[in-house]
Amino acid sequence: MRYLAGEYDVIVIGAGHAGCEAALAAARMGCETLLLTINLDMVAFMPCNPSIGGPAKGHVVREVDALGGEMGRNIDKTFIQMRMLNTGKGPAVHALRAQADKFDYQHVMKKTIEETPHLTLRQGMAEELIVEDGKCVGIVTKTGAEYRSRTTVVTTGTYLRGKIIMGELMYESGPNNQQPSVKLSASLKEHGLELVRFKTGTPPRVHKDTIDFSKTEIQPGDDHPKFFSHETETSNNEQLPCWLTYTSEATHKIINDNLHRAPMFSGAIEGTGPRYCPSIEDKIVRFADKPKHQIFLEPEGKNTSEFYVQGLSTSMPEDVQLGILRSIPGLEKVEMMRNGYAIEYDAVVPTQLWPSLETKVIDSLFTAGQINGTSGYEEAAGQGIMAGINAARKVQGKKPIILGRSEGYIGVMIDDLVTKGTNDPYRLLTSRAEYRLLLRHDNADLRLTPIGYEIGLISEERYNKFLSKKEMVEMDIERLRNIKVKPDQVNEMLIAAGTAPMVNGTDALSLLRRPEVTYAMLETVVPSTPEMTEEMKEQVEIQIKYAGYIEKQLHQVERLNKMEKKRIPDDIEYNDINGLASEAKQKLALVRPLSLGQASRVAGVTPADISILLVYLEHYNRVTAARGSSYG
């Protein structure tokens, strides 16, 4: 029996990392928002790795924070280890990674949601979309509760027709033995969305007291940790170490001897798994020449004995998993607390989405997170905040916010998904971003805070602090440009740093361009002003040292923007364009790109196709303009 349970501006289905960001964004923008989850105890749950960040992923968390999202603030409150990765490389690939106390992370995020105005958190299982005249106007739950809404965001993660697979054992389930969502898949299909079957997995968890840490290598956090949120200034969090070990010859033998029991190779798994996060059995087969693989032992929290065995994702039977674990140095007597498993689930083919993450076939329906074919908490959060922002803006009668590939990793990810699609769970990598020197960890606030402020997710106080930082950086660069330095002031320092001494005087800015000279070294000769923070100094140093490379990328962005400004009308019929290849007609009709720039990135569309399309658009625009003037 159905009954009307409530009316909202925005409904978000699923309270994982995408759903939390979507609901918080919509509510903070003033929309009455319902966040519906199968289990209130699983809000912001980490069913896989209890960590946030890493290469490209950490960049996304910084971007979510710069837009006014919550993930960065939440991990800064709940981390048990913070570490900057790739510090020996250039700033484009510096990446912050935090080990989370997974239980604190959930509880703090849930508390934030519960205390947010305009946001209602409720337990219930959405089973059916209410679609009227091609528009999603609400949902119906398993109990018959009907919630009406002006926009709906689906962020169901890996729950859609979820199936756990472990050796010969298979059963319907969401992650961590939660209820799966079965009927919502059928409703999405019924209303015209094409779904695919994907797979992901997780490793076993083991008891801390049964690990022999003396046979492993300690991996401590940073002595002076940096943070994800631009609002976090200090932290008193106690840091716990992680530990490194390796698979052994015995590990590889156990796996090879039991491949006939591995669902991946027996044909029991139909879903496509993540290319960049393979199971241990997949790694042993694909990289048969490698004698060993890294295994990281990571604590799941301060108040638990569970350790996450990173690098050992598996769907092998339980007895084989235990044998694999005990063949690894340091784990010879280990006790397994939870089994690893694979999980299959339904995902939406993402080329069915506009860049706003609204579906093309159902008006006012948005999707975000793993349902769009991605993997990872960070990718989910990046999509979640954009879907929440755009659902709210649709309610408010405003144009969607669409980040370009040169504005953020979030823009790269969404453009990849909606333009190219994905054949396996999509993971963000720094190599996917052609403008990665512009999309650094350190400058996410400079890139995106103005957008966050414009849409109402960044406070006046935070925006003013941002403007002050920006001004201080610009003033300091100008200050260094105008300070003259003599050889006798710096030559001793330069020789000690391993670089050539100066013969003639120069300005401090030119001196800082030298690869061997750091801002800290320069300060011994040219002291900075007291207002300059370490973050500001880092920004000055990067902008000065990489000015030439940054300028080159900005010129490339200018050329890209010219293509992006050439809009393609909605009513274009690609089949009518003479000379366009058949594959291009088919792919362009499917993706329906919004601009010539997006069209150029569609798989199967060649530069020759783009030239033909450009000529056609120029003719089309002339004819349209002529018609308009004749009617005038």
Side-chain angles (χ1 to χ4, degrees):
M1 184 75 179
R2 284 194 191 183
Y3 72 98
L4 182 61
E7 296 183 358
Y8 296 88
D9 294 317
V10 179
I11 291 175
V12 179
I13 302 171
H17 304 282
C20 289
E21 294 295 348
L24 285 166
R28 287 166 173 168
M29 290 169 71
C31 291
E32 292 303 322
T33 304
L34 171 66
L35 177 56
L36 194 69
T37 177
I38 292 174
N39 186 345
L40 283 177
D41 298 328
M42 304 298 284
V43 171
F45 181 62
M46 293 178 163
C48 200
N49 200 329
S51 71
I52 296 290
K57 292 169 174 281
H59 294 66
V60 169
V61 182
R62 292 277 284 180
E63 291 173 3
V64 167
D65 180 75
L67 289 166
E70 197 61 31
M71 181 175 266
R73 282 190 286 247
N74 208 60
I75 188 60
D76 285 351
K77 293 172 189 171
T78 60
F79 73 87
I80 52 177
Q81 187 187 104
M82 193 73 81
R83 199 171 178 190
M84 184 66 81
L85 308 178
N86 298 331
T87 52
K89 300 178 182 178
V93 292
H94 289 181
L96 194 59
R97 183 181 186 272
Q99 198 67 27
D101 185 311
K102 66 187 290 183
F103 308 102
D104 279 358
Y105 188 92
Q106 282 182 262
H107 298 150
V108 173
M109 184 67 86
K110 183 168 182 271
K111 188 170 187 287
T112 299
I113 288 166
E114 289 170 340
E115 294 176 353
T116 297
H118 307 295
L119 180 51
T120 301
L121 177 63
R122 192 159 294 165
Q123 184 165 295
M125 183 182 289
E127 291 197 334
E128 185 184 331
L129 301 177
I130 305 172
V131 178
E132 296 173 358
D133 298 324
K135 180 178 181 179
C136 185
V137 295
I139 56 113
V140 181
T141 70
K142 190 172 188 174
T143 59
E146 184 178 307
Y147 296 99
R148 289 267 164 170
S149 64
R150 297 170 67 184
T151 56
T152 301
V153 186
V154 181
T155 65
T156 46
T158 60
Y159 281 79
L160 283 186
R161 289 201 310 126
K163 183 200 285 185
I164 295 285
I165 303 167
M166 193 192 314
E168 299 84 5
L169 177 65
M170 296 185 202
Y171 55 94
E172 287 190 346
S173 175
N176 209 48
N177 288 323
Q178 293 299 301
Q179 287 186 73
S181 174
V182 178
K183 292 189 176 178
L184 188 58
S185 267
S187 185
L188 291 167
K189 276 186 179 179
E190 179 191 334
H191 293 294
L193 283 167
E194 183 188 349
L195 305 181
V196 290
R197 199 80 173 144
F198 278 170
K199 176 210 80 112
T200 188
T202 191
R205 272 63 159 181
V206 298
H207 198 294
K208 175 180 72 173
D209 296 343
T210 63
I211 300 171
D212 183 354
F213 290 108
S214 68
K215 295 182 178 179
T216 67
E217 300 170 33
I218 192 168
Q219 305 285 303
D222 291 341
D223 292 334
H224 304 288
K226 294 188 176 182
F227 305 109
F228 280 102
S229 177
H230 299 85
E231 292 183 1
T232 309
E233 295 179 356
T234 59
S235 171
N236 295 319
N237 291 19
E238 179 190 355
Q239 296 205 62
L240 302 180
C242 297
W243 307 82
L244 172 64
T245 183
Y246 296 87
T247 59
S248 66
E249 188 178 324
T251 312
H252 297 212
K253 185 175 188 312
I254 291 168
I255 290 170
N256 283 317
D257 288 349
N258 286 277
L259 283 179
H260 62 287
R261 300 181 66 194
M264 275 202 65
F265 300 100
S266 68
I269 290 178
E270 59 174 294
T272 307
R275 190 187 325 171
Y276 298 103
C277 188
S279 65
I280 187 64
E281 50 267 36
D282 195 20
K283 280 194 273 191
I284 298 304
V285 171
R286 282 167 56 188
F287 307 107
D289 57 320
K290 288 194 73 171
K292 61 183 182 179
H293 295 274
Q294 285 187 332
I295 302 292
F296 288 93
L297 305 173
E298 302 174 338
E300 295 230 315
K302 301 186 297 290
N303 301 308
T304 179
S305 293
E306 281 188 82
F307 261 61
Y308 180 90
V309 188
Q310 188 196 329
L312 210 74
S313 176
T314 183
S315 57
M316 284 289 208
E318 184 175 313
D319 59 309
V320 179
Q321 290 190 32
L322 187 58
I324 291 170
L325 284 167
R326 289 181 175 174
S327 69
I328 294 169
L331 305 183
E332 292 88 350
K333 296 181 180 178
V334 83
E335 291 296 335
M336 186 163 62
M337 296 180 73
R338 299 186 202 230
N339 304 323
Y341 60 83
I343 183 168
E344 283 188 348
Y345 56 96
D346 286 346
V348 167
V349 174
T351 50
Q352 298 169 104
L353 307 175
W354 297 114
S356 64
L357 297 181
E358 184 177 14
T359 65
K360 294 171 183 174
V361 294
I362 308 171
D363 185 39
S364 299
L365 179 70
F366 296 75
T367 59
Q370 281 185 275
I371 190 176
N372 287 345
T374 57
S375 65
Y377 312 141
E378 303 85 355
E379 287 91 338
Q383 292 170 73
I385 192 169
M386 298 311 298
I389 287 168
N390 288 328
R393 285 177 73 85
K394 179 138 190 157
V395 169
Q396 295 164 351
K398 297 175 181 175
K399 288 183 178 179
I401 298 292
I402 296 169
L403 297 181
R405 296 183 70 89
S406 62
E407 292 179 288
Y409 273 91
I410 295 174
V412 170
M413 169 177 59
I414 292 175
D415 183 66
D416 280 351
L417 290 170
V418 305
T419 305
K420 302 172 186 175
T422 185
N423 296 320
D424 52 75
Y426 175 99
R427 178 180 179 174
L428 257 176
L429 306 165
T430 52
S431 59
R432 293 191 191 273
E434 57 269 55
Y435 308 114
R436 55 186 171 274
L437 189 53
L438 301 180
L439 308 182
R440 304 184 309 275
H441 168 277
D442 62 87
N443 72 348
D445 58 335
L446 297 175
R447 290 183 276 119
L448 298 177
T449 300
I451 296 174
Y453 176 69
E454 179 198 335
I455 59 183
L457 291 179
I458 295 292
S459 69
E460 195 76 36
E461 181 187 0
R462 178 169 168 180
Y463 187 61
N464 286 333
K465 282 181 74 174
F466 158 76
L467 290 178
S468 175
K469 171 191 169 179
K470 189 167 179 280
E471 185 182 7
M472 287 294 300
V473 168
E474 290 167 356
M475 285 172 60
D476 201 56
I477 290 172
E478 197 56 34
R479 178 183 73 89
L480 294 175
R481 182 178 281 114
N482 291 318
I483 290 178
K484 301 302 176 188
V485 182
K486 296 177 181 177
D488 60 352
Q489 290 178 280
V490 295
N491 276 350
E492 189 178 336
M493 175 192 76
L494 294 177
I495 293 166
T499 185
M502 283 169 42
V503 177
N504 302 309
T506 187
D507 57 82
L509 185 145
S510 298
L511 197 60
L512 189 53
R513 283 202 179 115
R514 292 195 183 197
E516 301 84 0
V517 178
T518 65
Y519 193 104
M521 290 164 60
L522 190 63
E523 275 191 291
T524 61
V525 180
V526 183
S528 64
T529 58
E531 299 85 2
M532 289 292 289
T533 64
E534 290 305 311
E535 190 181 14
M536 292 174 190
K537 293 171 188 176
E538 177 190 40
Q539 191 58 229
V540 169
E541 183 170 341
I542 290 171
Q543 287 193 26
I544 288 174
K545 281 192 185 301
Y546 294 91
Y549 299 103
I550 290 170
E551 194 175 343
K552 274 185 188 176
Q553 291 215 334
L554 287 172
H555 286 316
Q556 292 169 355
V557 170
E558 275 180 40
R559 290 198 294 272
L560 170 75
N561 287 342
K562 286 177 184 174
M563 293 276 279
E564 297 297 337
K565 284 175 183 172
K566 293 185 188 299
R567 310 301 287 175
I568 299 177
D570 293 341
D571 57 354
I572 284 283
E573 287 291 342
Y574 291 101
N575 285 329
D576 295 344
I577 304 177
N578 293 326
L580 209 56
S582 298
E583 185 183 5
K585 289 179 181 180
Q586 181 188 353
K587 296 288 180 66
L588 290 168
L590 175 70
V591 174
R592 290 158 66 193
L594 300 177
S595 69
L596 203 64
Q598 189 186 356
S600 70
R601 297 188 293 275
V602 173
V605 175
T606 67
D609 294 322
I610 294 299
S611 297
I612 291 165
L613 183 56
L614 179 59
V615 172
Y616 179 86
L617 286 174
E618 287 172 351
H619 172 72
Y620 179 96
N621 291 333
R622 280 198 303 271
V623 170
T624 304
R627 282 179 188 158
S629 62
S630 66
Y631 289 128

